[in-house]
Amino acid sequence: MGANILYLVILGLSIVVFKLGFAKKLPLLKAIVIYLFLMFGCTVLTFLGAFLPVAEGLIVAALILIIYKIRLHQSKKAERKAAT
């Protein structure tokens, strides 16, 4: 049961990190292929996550990307305000 929960946590955090940092608009079939490989990769990360801080590293990565996106949004908003 614990391994399933760890897998879901790692998968969810990996999807968040992927969407915030790397995702582009893709056609549906390509997106499905990407997420299937992401799910397979998370299986490997789950085995590593039993001994290494994989989930904690993904949390840190997600927080850094969230802060970056917020700052980027604020910067673009201020730039648009200055241009008008």
Side-chain angles (χ1 to χ4, degrees):
M1 182 69 176
N4 291 337
I5 293 171
L6 181 61
Y7 175 75
L8 292 175
V9 167
I10 289 175
L11 180 63
L13 289 170
S14 296
I15 290 171
V16 168
V17 169
F18 176 73
K19 291 293 270 183
L20 288 174
F22 306 103
K24 303 273 186 201
K25 289 284 186 181
L26 295 173
L28 182 62
L29 187 58
K30 287 182 182 180
I32 290 171
V33 170
I34 294 290
Y35 285 110
L36 285 175
F37 278 107
L38 187 66
M39 287 175 15
F40 174 72
C42 287
T43 304
V44 175
L45 287 177
T46 301
F47 290 119
L48 293 174
F51 305 105
L52 299 171
V54 174
E56 292 85 351
L58 286 169
I59 290 170
V60 170
L63 289 174
I64 290 170
L65 287 169
I66 289 169
I67 291 168
Y68 170 74
K69 290 290 185 174
I70 290 170
R71 299 274 308 215
L72 183 65
H73 178 69
Q74 289 174 347
S75 174
K76 284 183 180 181
K77 188 176 176 182
E79 189 176 292
R80 275 186 269 141
K81 188 179 267 188
T84 57

